[in-house]
Amino acid sequence: MRASRILKMLMMLQTHEKVTAAELADACETSIRTVYRDIEALSAIGVPVYSEQGVQGGYRLLQGYRTRLNGLSAKEAETLFLAGLSGPAQKMGIDTLLADAQLKLKAALPENIRPEIDRLQSRFLLDAPNWFSDDEKVTYLPDLMTAVLEQRCVVMQYQSWKGEINRQLQPLGIVLKGGQWYLLAQVEKDVRTYRVSRIESLTLLDETFERPKDFNLTAFWQDSLRRMEVVQFPIIAEVRLTSLGRKIMQHVCSSYAVNQAQIEPMDESGWHRARFPVGESVYGCAELLRFGAELEVIGPPELRAEMEKMVSSLATLYR
């Protein structure tokens, strides 16, 4: 366990300009006193690790020092190969680089691990896009990758639901969600989200920008998802459901609506009362119609009125 911990510390020192004792202790799940002893052990075996005192202090390696030891276990190596998604890599224009990197990594692994890599890749497939969805055309994704990494501004022509817009952006990150690619970019002081497949044209500029120091891609995206859920499902539908209706809910409603649903036990008539979020009236009713006669809308009044209107129109159409 100590050898594994010291190796992890060495990898952290090698991949960070400076690391504090507290950060090392937190990453290795040990005490700061143990970190001090492990740092002394690294120095004793010739690793040029230096300490800097003061508030901004910490540990750092001698500039340019690198160890060829990677310390990958068999399971860690297998995980790296499993994470190599050929489809998304091809979209980003880095499929050849990914294949070359995997080849070099495989060559560097011990011979007893290599057959396990082949076995793993032949038995697991991650198909990212949703069911029955066409493959998105993301022509400008490689250029966006360059813009994000090199912090270069872009000018794009974009087809939004309001119409066509032309805009200069500062690309901050790219997200793959449910088989769809999204660009997160700064426009003046706002960070906005764009669907990459809706970009009609894109020009990569020589002009660069400073990336906001406090911008965290993962945190921003997760916060965006939470805000989007509230906007997409603003109405709490009050309904009556049959037992079959409960099963239908698992298939026709979003996972957000299913997780937020409050369903009461079956009453004497064989129905359940339930509450769960749906979209605005017209869109919410369109979703609830998929339940057929296994669901009755009780409230809110405006949602029931819209449902009655829609059902009446359908009855007239099919009469």
Side-chain angles (χ1 to χ4, degrees), residues 160-174:
S160 73
W161 65 276
K162 292 182 178 180
E164 193 174 277
I165 60 173
N166 290 277
R167 189 159 288 164
Q168 180 168 326
L169 309 170
Q170 297 175 349
L172 300 177
I174 294 173

Side-chain angles (χ1 to χ4, degrees), residues 80-81 83-106 121 142 145-146 149-150:
L80 286 177
F81 279 91
L85 305 180
S86 57
Q90 184 178 20
K91 294 283 188 183
M92 292 185 288
I94 59 171
D95 49 327
T96 302
L97 290 174
L98 177 63
D100 290 346
Q102 288 181 336
L103 180 62
K104 291 176 181 178
L105 176 58
K106 188 176 179 180
Q121 289 185 308
M145 292 283 295
T146 300
L149 292 173
E150 298 181 3

Side-chain angles (χ1 to χ4, degrees), residues 52-95:
E52 296 180 357
Q53 304 299 319
V55 178
Q56 301 297 325
Y59 294 103
R60 68 168 70 240
L61 292 176
L62 180 67
Q63 187 172 6
Y65 176 82
R66 287 292 182 272
T67 174
R68 294 182 62 85
L69 180 64
N70 59 46
L72 282 176
S73 68
K75 293 298 181 184
E76 290 169 340
E78 290 171 5
T79 302
L80 286 177
F81 279 91
L82 187 61
L85 305 180
S86 57
Q90 184 178 20
K91 294 283 188 183
M92 292 185 288
I94 59 171
D95 49 327

Side-chain angles (χ1 to χ4, degrees), residues 16-84:
H16 294 76
E17 182 179 353
K18 182 169 57 180
V19 189
T20 66
E23 290 170 337
L24 288 171
D26 184 58
C28 297
E29 298 180 351
T30 189
S31 66
I32 292 180
R33 185 181 297 275
T34 300
V35 169
Y36 293 154
R37 289 198 296 266
D38 291 343
I39 291 294
E40 290 178 0
L42 284 173
S43 297
I45 61 174
V47 176
V49 55
Y50 298 92
S51 64
E52 296 180 357
Q53 304 299 319
V55 178
Q56 301 297 325
Y59 294 103
R60 68 168 70 240
L61 292 176
L62 180 67
Q63 187 172 6
Y65 176 82
R66 287 292 182 272
T67 174
R68 294 182 62 85
L69 180 64
N70 59 46
L72 282 176
S73 68
K75 293 298 181 184
E76 290 169 340
E78 290 171 5
T79 302
L80 286 177
F81 279 91
L82 187 61

Side-chain angles (χ1 to χ4, degrees), residues 241-278:
L241 278 170
T242 64
S243 296
L244 178 58
R246 291 193 63 174
K247 295 178 181 178
I248 292 175
M249 176 184 285
Q250 303 295 325
H251 299 282
V252 303
C253 292
S254 68
S255 58
Y256 172 76
V258 172
N259 292 334
Q260 296 293 318
Q262 301 174 6
I263 304 177
E264 297 179 7
M266 183 183 295
D267 60 23
E268 295 179 356
S269 64
W271 288 67
H272 300 268
R273 282 183 173 266
R275 291 165 51 88
F276 59 90
V278 297

Side-chain angles (χ1 to χ4, degrees), residues 156-209:
M156 75 172 185
Q157 184 176 334
Y158 185 78
Q159 187 66 45
S160 73
W161 65 276
K162 292 182 178 180
E164 193 174 277
I165 60 173
N166 290 277
R167 189 159 288 164
Q168 180 168 326
L169 309 170
Q170 297 175 349
L172 300 177
I174 294 173
V175 175
L176 174 60
K177 172 73 171 177
Q180 298 171 350
W181 294 91
Y182 296 91
L183 167 69
L184 275 65
Q186 186 165 261
V187 182
E188 297 178 352
K189 294 184 179 180
D190 293 331
V191 178
R192 302 180 185 177
T193 304
Y194 300 92
R195 183 90 167 264
V196 176
S197 62
R198 293 179 184 167
I199 298 177
E200 302 285 341
S201 67
L202 185 124
T203 302
L204 190 58
L205 304 179
D206 292 330
E207 178 185 349
T208 59
F209 64 92

